[in-house]
Amino acid sequence: QSEIVIGKVVPYFIISLGLIIGTILLGHFHFSVKFHQPLLVSVICTLFLLFSLGLGLFISAISRTQTQAIQLSIFFLLPMLLLSGAFSPLELLPGAVQAFAQLFPLTHFCHAFRLVNMYDAHLRFILVDLLCLAVGALLTCGGAAYLLRTADD
């Protein structure tokens, strides 16, 4: 049932890529934001997008109803936003919370994106974040595909 996975992921992926490109262009041309290493930024954004779409697809695959899917999404979304380091530095949180925050794709995205855009960091400084995003994307998309396949059998 890979057709179902592809059919669910591809439209959202294309729309989200368009939004990312639009945001980057708006930031660059209207607000004069300089993006260091645009190719590396694109890789970071793409991996984050795939992980996030995979997580949504996985939640969809384990949910029985739309209401349950929404509740599970909020259950993941709120801690992910608060513990990702997007709004406050992770270093200020207790060690156990910092370790828990490493499970979220937004944590790795924020870290890698910040290092590249603020400090012009090279690949070796964000390789762990990229690997976490890639593994997460593979696990969530693969897990969702497996669950959807076994649900039809």
Side-chain angles (χ1 to χ4, degrees):
Q1 304 318 2
S2 58
E3 297 89 16
I4 294 173
V5 174
I6 291 170
K8 284 187 171 190
V9 170
V10 169
Y12 289 115
F13 183 75
I14 291 170
I15 290 168
S16 298
L17 274 180
L19 289 171
I20 290 169
I21 291 168
T23 302
I24 289 173
L25 290 175
L26 180 70
H28 178 71
F29 290 114
H30 185 70
F31 297 108
S32 301
V33 174
K34 184 176 189 299
F35 289 96
H36 300 284
Q37 304 179 52
L39 183 61
L40 195 52
V41 168
S42 300
V43 169
I44 295 167
C45 289
T46 303
L47 287 175
F48 170 69
L49 182 57
L50 287 172
F51 192 166
S52 299
L53 287 172
L55 188 59
L57 193 59
F58 187 78
I59 289 171
S60 174
I62 63 173
S63 300
R64 300 276 183 231
T65 65
Q66 183 179 7
T67 304
Q68 188 180 20
I70 291 169
Q71 289 172 343
L72 280 171
S73 297
I74 292 171
F75 177 75
F76 283 105
L77 185 65
L78 289 176
M80 185 169 30
L81 286 173
L82 295 173
L83 302 177
S84 66
F87 302 110
S88 62
L90 278 178
E91 295 78 25
L92 299 178
L93 299 173
V97 176
Q98 288 181 33
F100 180 67
Q102 298 303 313
L103 297 173
F104 300 125
L106 189 57
T107 303
H108 298 286
F109 172 78
C110 287
H111 184 254
F113 197 84
R114 189 175 293 123
L115 284 177
V116 170
N117 275 326
M118 290 180 69
Y119 305 111
D120 198 16
H122 295 286
L123 181 64
R124 69 179 178 270
F125 295 106
I126 62 165
L127 193 57
V128 171
D129 292 311
L130 293 179
L131 287 173
C132 287
L133 289 171
V135 168
L138 288 173
L139 287 175
T140 55
C141 288
Y146 176 77
L147 289 174
L148 290 170
R149 185 176 322 147
T150 57
D152 287 342
D153 292 342

Coordinates of all heavy atoms in Angstrom, one line a residue, residues 83-85 88-104 107-108:
L83 N 9.6 22.4 23.8 CA 10.9 21.8 24.2 C 11.9 21.7 23.0 O 12.9 21.1 23.1 CB 10.7 20.4 24.7 CG 9.7 20.2 25.9 CD1 9.6 18.8 26.3 CD2 10.3 21.0 27.1
S84 N 11.6 22.4 21.9 CA 12.5 22.3 20.7 C 13.7 23.2 20.7 O 14.6 23.0 20.0 CB 11.7 22.5 19.5 OG 11.2 23.9 19.5
G85 N 13.6 24.2 21.6 CA 14.6 25.3 21.5 C 14.3 26.4 20.6 O 15.1 27.3 20.3
S88 N 13.0 29.1 23.5 CA 14.0 29.4 24.6 C 15.1 28.3 24.5 O 14.9 27.2 24.0 CB 13.3 29.3 25.9 OG 12.8 28.0 26.1
P89 N 16.3 28.7 24.9 CA 17.4 27.8 24.7 C 17.2 26.5 25.5 O 16.8 26.5 26.7 CB 18.6 28.6 25.3 CG 18.2 30.0 25.4 CD 16.7 30.0 25.5
L90 N 17.6 25.4 24.9 CA 17.5 24.1 25.5 C 18.4 23.9 26.7 O 18.1 23.2 27.6 CB 17.8 23.0 24.5 CG 16.7 22.5 23.6 CD1 17.3 21.5 22.6 CD2 15.5 22.0 24.3
E91 N 19.5 24.7 26.7 CA 20.5 24.6 27.7 C 19.9 25.0 29.1 O 20.5 24.7 30.1 CB 21.7 25.4 27.4 CG 22.5 24.9 26.2 CD 21.8 25.3 24.9 OE1 21.1 26.3 24.8 OE2 22.0 24.6 23.9
L92 N 18.8 25.7 29.1 CA 18.2 26.2 30.3 C 17.3 25.1 31.0 O 16.9 25.3 32.1 CB 17.4 27.5 30.1 CG 18.2 28.7 29.6 CD1 17.2 29.8 29.3 CD2 19.3 29.1 30.5
L93 N 17.0 24.1 30.2 CA 16.2 23.0 30.7 C 17.0 21.9 31.5 O 18.2 21.8 31.2 CB 15.4 22.4 29.6 CG 14.5 23.3 28.8 CD1 13.9 22.6 27.6 CD2 13.4 23.9 29.7
P94 N 16.3 21.2 32.4 CA 17.0 20.1 33.0 C 17.5 19.0 32.0 O 17.0 18.9 30.9 CB 16.0 19.5 33.9 CG 14.9 20.5 34.1 CD 15.0 21.4 32.8
G95 N 18.6 18.3 32.4 CA 19.2 17.3 31.5 C 18.2 16.3 31.0 O 18.3 15.9 29.8
A96 N 17.3 15.8 31.8 CA 16.4 14.8 31.4 C 15.4 15.3 30.3 O 15.1 14.7 29.3 CB 15.6 14.2 32.5
V97 N 15.0 16.6 30.5 CA 14.1 17.2 29.5 C 14.9 17.5 28.2 O 14.3 17.3 27.1 CB 13.6 18.5 30.1 CG1 12.7 19.2 29.1 CG2 12.7 18.2 31.4
Q98 N 16.1 17.9 28.3 CA 16.9 18.1 27.1 C 17.1 16.7 26.3 O 17.0 16.7 25.1 CB 18.3 18.6 27.4 CG 18.4 20.0 27.9 CD 19.8 20.4 28.2 OE1 20.8 20.0 27.6 NE2 19.9 21.3 29.2
A99 N 17.3 15.7 27.0 CA 17.4 14.3 26.4 C 16.0 14.0 25.7 O 16.0 13.5 24.6 CB 17.8 13.3 27.4
F100 N 14.9 14.2 26.4 CA 13.6 14.0 25.8 C 13.3 14.8 24.6 O 12.8 14.3 23.6 CB 12.5 14.2 26.9 CG 11.1 14.0 26.4 CD1 10.7 12.7 26.1 CD2 10.3 15.0 26.3 CE1 9.4 12.5 25.7 CE2 9.0 14.8 25.9 CZ 8.5 13.5 25.6
A101 N 13.8 16.0 24.6 CA 13.6 16.9 23.5 C 14.3 16.5 22.2 O 13.9 16.8 21.1 CB 14.1 18.3 23.8
Q102 N 15.3 15.6 22.4 CA 16.0 15.1 21.2 C 15.2 14.2 20.3 O 15.6 13.8 19.2 CB 17.3 14.4 21.6 CG 18.3 15.3 22.3 CD 18.7 16.5 21.5 OE1 19.0 16.4 20.3 NE2 18.7 17.6 22.1
L103 N 14.0 13.7 20.8 CA 13.1 12.9 20.1 C 12.3 13.6 19.0 O 11.8 13.0 18.1 CB 12.2 12.1 21.0 CG 12.8 11.2 22.1 CD1 11.7 10.7 23.0 CD2 13.5 10.1 21.4
F104 N 12.3 14.9 19.2 CA 11.4 15.7 18.3 C 12.2 16.3 17.1 O 13.3 16.7 17.2 CB 10.8 16.9 19.1 CG 10.0 16.5 20.3 CD1 10.3 17.0 21.5 CD2 8.9 15.6 20.1 CE1 9.5 16.7 22.6 CE2 8.2 15.3 21.2 CZ 8.4 15.8 22.4
T107 N 13.5 20.0 17.2 CA 14.7 20.3 18.0 C 15.9 20.2 17.1 O 16.8 21.1 17.1 CB 14.9 19.2 19.1 OG1 13.7 19.2 19.9 CG2 16.1 19.5 20.0
H108 N 16.0 19.2 16.3 CA 17.1 19.0 15.4 C 17.1 20.1 14.3 O 18.1 20.6 13.8 CB 17.2 17.6 14.8 CG 17.4 16.6 15.9 ND1 18.6 16.4 16.5 CD2 16.5 15.7 16.4 CE1 18.4 15.5 17.4 NE2 17.2 15.1 17.4

